[in-house]
Amino acid sequence: MTRLPTPADVASAAERIAPYVRRTPMLRVTVDGRPLWLKLEQLQLTGSFKLRGATNALLSGPRPERVATVSGGNHGYAVGTAARLLDLPTRVHVPVFAAESKVRRIKETGAEVVRHETYPDANRAARLEGGEPGGRYVSAYDDPAVIAGQGTVGLEIVADAPEVDALFVAVGGGGLAAGLALGAGRRIIAVEPEGCHCLHAALAAGRPVHTEVDSVAMSALGAAQAGDLTYAILRESGVESHLVSDAELLAARDRLWDEFRLALEPAAAVPFALWLKDKVAAEHPCVVLCGANTDWTPEA
């Protein structure tokens, strides 16, 4: 297996990507009489944390001649943006079910978009292309440089609020959660929708396993199987895994808008949904709000 990234890799990533990404703010709030920190990563360039890992991957190792990846949305948008910042040609392979709003954003970066009937077809094509001489395939989550880049979110959290003792984070393939475990050195509360639960299934099985994907948050959290690297890091860190229903995560998304005017995609509200249930004790919790790439129109 590829070498696991370390906290030192996260620190190096922070220096490497600093000229290209935003340092996102922390917001101290009280909800239902309980104090909470919110990490506003939805304010990141491209609207999600994904830019951190994509940029670190493209800046690590020899400069590629071209970039390839597979994505249904946020990752492809981030890779396309990072490649544009670094003046690298990019091709993003997408499954036909990818949300049109996210495909539009990918195209706006200047990346070429290639559609495939299924995600596995798109993944195979991207890996083949990225493996050619001069190519660089950027995994959405199971790449040491990507994980280290995502971990820079954790460095910012503990720098701005060192008292934080637990991080609530949404999980798709596990790249952000694994990065937080390395970058923050705090207790990680991993939260998934009931219909997208590859990490929960992997922890139960003792290894990454294939799962079915069916959730309103699947465009961002729809990984069918946890990554080998992310699983190894999270298992070693003692991650705590929890599930929420689609109804709970949508209600949490609505509360974030109603109470704080924070407009988020459904996936980003997943950890807040668990925190609202008050079933996980933490004295100084922080919920990571990871993305806002959804189309919405405010009412008049």
Side-chain angles (χ1 to χ4, degrees):
M1 185 172 67
T2 304
R3 179 186 70 85
L4 294 178
T6 67
D9 293 322
V10 178
S12 296
E15 294 184 9
R16 193 176 293 121
I17 70 176
Y20 304 97
V21 306
R22 287 177 180 154
R23 183 188 179 98
T24 55
M26 296 273 283
L27 178 63
R28 181 69 162 168
V29 300
T30 299
V31 182
D32 297 338
R34 299 155 55 206
L36 175 68
W37 282 104
L38 298 175
K39 175 62 169 171
L40 306 184
E41 189 61 15
Q42 87 279 8
L43 298 179
Q44 184 57 256
L45 295 169
T46 75
S48 86
F49 70 95
K50 293 283 191 176
L51 184 65
R52 297 173 183 264
T55 303
N56 192 50
L58 295 182
L59 289 172
S60 299
R63 178 181 170 88
E65 297 175 10
R66 57 193 173 280
V67 180
T69 194
V70 58
S71 173
N74 290 345
H75 174 66
Y77 186 23
V79 171
T81 300
R84 183 187 65 201
L85 292 171
L86 300 173
D87 195 26
L88 294 169
T90 307
R91 186 173 290 159
V92 180
H93 298 262
V94 304
V96 292
F97 60 78
E100 194 55 43
S101 62
K102 294 188 176 183
V103 173
R104 184 189 73 244
R105 291 187 177 99
I106 295 171
K107 290 180 177 179
E108 288 172 353
T109 70
E112 179 184 354
V113 172
V114 181
R115 296 180 185 269
H116 299 265
E117 283 300 315
T118 68
Y119 187 92
D121 289 340
N123 189 37
R124 280 192 292 271
R127 287 181 179 274
L128 283 172
E129 185 175 346
E132 293 174 354
R136 174 65 157 95
Y137 169 76
V138 183
S139 169
Y141 49 86
D142 216 33
D143 179 307
V146 169
I147 295 169
Q150 318 303 30
T152 61
V153 177
L155 288 182
E156 293 177 10
I157 291 172
V158 298
D160 292 344
E163 72 275 18
V164 164
D165 59 358
L167 303 181
F168 290 66
V169 57
V171 171
L176 177 57
L180 289 174
L182 297 174
R186 301 293 196 271
R187 180 180 167 209
I188 302 299
I189 314 299
V191 194
E192 297 170 282
E194 292 171 351
C196 297
H197 58 274
C198 66
L199 175 63
H200 197 76
L203 293 170
R207 59 182 176 83
V209 294
H210 181 82
T211 59
E212 297 300 320
V213 174
D214 182 16
S215 168
V216 68
M218 65 186 291
S219 69
L221 304 181
Q225 185 167 313
D228 291 333
L229 301 180
T230 58
Y231 170 72
I233 293 166
L234 290 169
R235 180 187 58 187
E236 185 176 316
S237 73
V239 67
E240 300 171 39
S241 175
H242 299 268
L243 304 178
V244 296
S245 69
D246 276 4
E248 289 169 334
L249 71 89
L250 289 174
R253 178 202 59 182
D254 291 346
R255 284 199 69 174
L256 286 165
W257 172 251
D258 290 341
E259 297 187 26
F260 307 109
R261 289 300 184 262
L262 296 173
L264 300 159
E265 60 187 293
V270 166
F272 184 56
L274 178 70
W275 183 85
L276 285 173
K277 295 170 73 170
D278 198 16
K279 292 186 175 180
V280 180
E283 188 172 356
H284 301 289
C286 175
V287 167
V288 180
L289 302 179
C290 60
N293 287 323
T294 185
D295 281 343
W296 66 284
T297 303
E299 295 181 0

